[in-house]
Amino acid sequence: MNHIQVKIEINPDLYLKNPDSSELGRKIVNQSITMINELGFETFTFKKLGLKIESPESSIYRYFENKHSLLVYLVSWYWSWTEYRLAFATTNIVSPKERIIKAIEILTKPVLIDNSFSYINEVLLSEIIFSESIKAYHTKNVDEENKKGFFKAYKNVVKRISNIILELKPDYVFPNMLISTVIEGAHQQHFFTNHIPSLTDKVNDDNSIPTFYTELIFNILK
Amino acid sequence: MNHIQVKIEINPDLYLKNPDSSELGRKIVNQSITMINELGFETFTFKKLGLKIESPESSIYRYFENKHSLLVYLVSWYWSWTEYRLAFATTNIVSPKERIIKAIEILTKPVLIDNSFSYINEVLLSEIIFSESIKAYHTKNVDEENKKGFFKAYKNVVKRISNIILELKPDYVFPNMLISTVIEGAHQQHFFTNHIPSLTDKVNDDNSIPTFYTELIFNILK
DNA sequence: GCAAAATTGATAGTAATACTATTATATTTG
DNA sequence: CAAATATAATAGTATTACTATCAATTTTGC
């Protein structure tokens, strides 16, 4: 994967000017990822970002309508990239069981190695997804933004995996519910582990969240 | 349940002045529930609430530090009340299976009938919980607030149900993860049904979310 | 029943946020 | 190299999230 340069396609409605098309745009995306991680999404502002990249706030507004749009952009980027990772990891594997196992691993573990894209740190981006992505759609404008296709990449991932579920259990009626529960659940359990540990379980095993969700899926499938 | 007046105890750190102790306090809580439902949490402000209850914004600040604290108060109230509902619904039932079924129903269905507390509309409050409660802990100050016990009521509920899980499967290592996944998952699936339906499953059955989570639990337990 | 204490109302004010607008200066590109 | 485009520098506005002050009202304790 390291040496193949893949271009992640982003819905143009997610930005005012493509950040991928200029030095400044790439700096905005790159530094916003670091800053959102450092400050948390609510404390992060375009003013602070402007100071960091030494460009005026108003220049950032030429790329993104506001910080919410930037978050939606990042989330969308992550899911497009993850769909590519999933395709790559599961292709040529005949057994649907094996494919599910690989997929669940990709969906429930934060990214640990940053290797493919120059100006996007995937490790930090995945941390944002795990801790902040829910804020991208938990807003008053969900319906409108959903209509505009802002969550398409995420939906594609859910669909792709629920199709594997249906290969194994064609009559199963809740494949999407199952997969979105697993994805969102894994994000939340990571958050709980770090912040409200009594809502989760401490096991002498760093892999307990993927283990839990893999078991959960196979219990339902059998 | 209708005629028993139960007092819900709230951690005094959750307010500056007990809203239950005065007319104004009760009005603040009562009207904030309506307004958060109407406007969504981010659009809701103390200024707007003040206009509605015809009291100055500054008076509201004498009860709650800010709107975040008010949300945490409401969430805490809901979970204390729900622990009482759970205790009431499961007491005297010998079979842990039966108790789990009752509990999952209470945790995964929004409240439909408002009957017990005078100035708190439980139907509207439950809607807030389903759509906004995640915002109560997904903040930069979780750790600090968790230390102060702000999420105690929620944790108690999770613990109570995971204890029933352990009755049925004493060696199960992920009881808390299972229950918090079910609770949070049910909230999210309701949100998805209303706003991003392709992340969930449309079944000709209004009860599909409780059904899904009940099946999920019994699949794991067997 | 009344003085003291506590609560609320009315009003003003501040710092930060989330933008929008304008114009000059740089940079790119046909 | 001129024209178009992008960026910098700066200013300004409405709203939010508070804090402060003091007068009016209500509650309470003797």
Side-chain angles (χ1 to χ4, degrees):
Chain A
M1 199 145 117
N2 299 29
H3 306 295
I4 310 166
Q5 268 298 18
V6 186
K7 193 89 179 175
I8 300 296
E9 278 295 334
I10 299 294
N11 177 346
D13 288 351
L14 288 172
Y15 48 74
L16 297 173
K17 182 173 151 62
N18 192 348
D20 195 39
S21 72
S22 77
E23 188 59 33
L24 179 60
R26 289 185 292 268
K27 250 163 82 182
I28 288 169
V29 170
N30 175 276
Q31 287 302 307
S32 71
I33 293 172
T34 322
M35 284 193 96
I36 292 172
N37 260 294
E38 277 167 6
L39 304 174
F41 184 64
E42 10 286 315
T43 318
F44 165 79
T45 68
F46 276 3
K47 187 164 199 177
K48 290 173 188 165
L49 178 58
L51 284 169
K52 185 136 180 188
I53 63 174
E54 292 178 296
S55 276
E57 204 185 349
S58 50
S59 294
I60 303 168
Y61 277 103
R62 283 200 222 88
Y63 286 85
F64 294 101
E65 242 184 277
N66 47 50
K67 72 172 179 173
H68 167 73
S69 309
L70 172 55
L71 180 65
V72 176
Y73 175 90
L74 293 176
V75 171
S76 182
W77 196 97
Y78 175 85
W79 287 116
S80 294
W81 174 62
T82 295
E83 194 180 9
Y84 160 72
R85 284 195 292 157
L86 284 165
F88 204 89
T90 58
T91 196
N92 298 327
I93 300 179
V94 181
S95 152
K97 268 193 186 173
E98 282 297 312
R99 271 181 281 143
I100 285 282
I101 290 171
K102 289 256 181 196
I104 298 311
E105 201 192 314
I106 287 175
L107 297 176
T108 59
K109 281 186 179 177
V111 175
L112 294 176
I113 302 150
D114 173 47
N115 51 14
S116 9
F117 292 91
S118 49
Y119 68 96
I120 292 189
N121 182 323
E122 292 122 28
V123 176
L124 294 180
L125 178 57
S126 122
E127 274 168 39
I128 291 178
I129 301 308
F130 272 71
S131 61
E132 317 272 5
S133 72
I134 202 166
K135 295 168 191 168
Y137 54 77
H138 244 286
T139 64
K140 262 283 132 171
N141 306 318
V142 218
D143 298 336
E144 195 190 319
E145 297 187 350
N146 185 36
K147 220 176 243 171
K148 287 193 210 148
F150 286 13
F151 314 119
K152 189 79 199 310
Y154 183 27
K155 293 191 222 171
N156 285 349
V157 166
V158 171
K159 184 147 216 170
R160 174 181 284 267
I161 315 304
S162 62
N163 280 337
I164 314 181
I165 297 286
L166 291 175
E167 279 183 57
L168 283 157
K169 195 171 179 171
D171 60 332
Y172 187 54
V173 286
F174 304 126
N176 297 313
M177 225 188 270
L178 179 59
I179 298 308
S180 59
T181 294
V182 168
I183 294 173
E184 298 289 335
H187 294 173
Q188 292 214 43
Q189 294 300 322
H190 276 280
F191 183 84
F192 291 157
T193 302
N194 293 324
H195 302 292
I196 319 181
S198 41
L199 295 178
T200 186
D201 301 280
K202 193 117 212 143
V203 183
N204 284 347
D205 174 10
D206 204 31
N207 220 34
S208 59
I209 295 168
T211 305
F212 169 74
Y213 287 106
T214 309
E215 275 180 18
L216 185 153
I217 287 195
F218 285 107
N219 271 308
I220 282 175
L221 291 178
K222 87 180 160 208
Chain B
M1 198 144 120
N2 299 29
H3 305 296
I4 309 164
Q5 269 297 18
V6 185
K7 192 91 181 173
I8 299 297
E9 279 294 335
I10 300 293
N11 177 347
D13 288 351
L14 288 174
Y15 49 75
L16 297 172
K17 181 172 152 60
N18 192 347
D20 195 40
S21 71
S22 76
E23 189 58 34
L24 178 61
R26 288 185 292 269
K27 250 163 81 181
I28 289 169
V29 170
N30 175 276
Q31 287 302 307
S32 71
I33 293 172
T34 322
M35 284 194 94
I36 293 172
N37 260 293
E38 279 168 6
L39 304 175
F41 184 64
E42 11 285 317
T43 318
F44 165 78
T45 67
F46 276 3
K47 187 164 201 180
K48 290 173 188 166
L49 178 59
L51 283 169
K52 185 137 179 186
I53 64 174
E54 293 177 297
S55 276
E57 205 185 348
S58 51
S59 293
I60 303 168
Y61 277 103
R62 289 203 202 87
Y63 285 85
F64 295 100
E65 242 183 277
N66 47 50
K67 71 173 182 172
H68 167 74
S69 309
L70 171 56
L71 180 65
V72 176
Y73 175 91
L74 293 176
V75 170
S76 182
W77 196 98
Y78 174 85
W79 288 117
S80 295
W81 174 63
T82 295
E83 193 179 10
Y84 159 72
R85 284 194 294 156
L86 285 166
F88 205 88
T90 58
T91 196
N92 298 327
I93 299 180
V94 181
S95 153
K97 267 190 185 174
E98 282 296 313
R99 271 181 281 142
I100 284 281
I101 290 171
K102 288 255 180 197
I104 298 310
E105 201 192 315
I106 288 175
L107 297 176
T108 60
K109 281 185 178 177
V111 175
L112 294 176
I113 302 150
D114 173 48
N115 50 14
S116 10
F117 293 90
S118 47
Y119 68 95
I120 292 189
N121 182 322
E122 292 123 26
V123 176
L124 293 180
L125 179 57
S126 120
E127 274 168 38
I128 290 177
I129 301 307
F130 272 71
S131 62
E132 317 273 4
S133 72
I134 202 167
K135 295 169 191 167
Y137 53 77
H138 244 286
T139 66
K140 262 285 131 170
N141 305 317
V142 218
D143 297 336
E144 195 189 318
E145 297 188 350
N146 185 34
K147 221 177 239 170
K148 287 193 208 146
F150 286 13
F151 314 119
K152 191 79 198 311
Y154 183 28
K155 293 191 220 171
N156 285 349
V157 165
V158 171
K159 185 149 214 167
R160 173 181 285 268
I161 314 304
S162 62
N163 281 337
I164 313 181
I165 297 287
L166 291 175
E167 277 183 58
L168 282 157
K169 195 171 179 170
D171 59 332
Y172 187 54
V173 286
F174 304 125
N176 297 314
M177 225 187 271
L178 178 59
I179 298 307
S180 58
T181 294
V182 168
I183 294 174
E184 298 289 337
H187 293 173
Q188 292 214 42
Q189 295 300 323
H190 275 280
F191 183 84
F192 291 157
T193 302
N194 293 325
H195 303 292
I196 318 182
S198 41
L199 295 178
T200 186
D201 301 280
K202 194 116 211 144
V203 183
N204 285 347
D205 173 9
D206 203 31
N207 219 34
S208 58
I209 295 167
T211 305
F212 169 74
Y213 287 107
T214 309
E215 275 179 19
L216 185 153
I217 287 193
F218 284 107
N219 272 307
I220 282 175
L221 291 178
K222 88 182 160 210

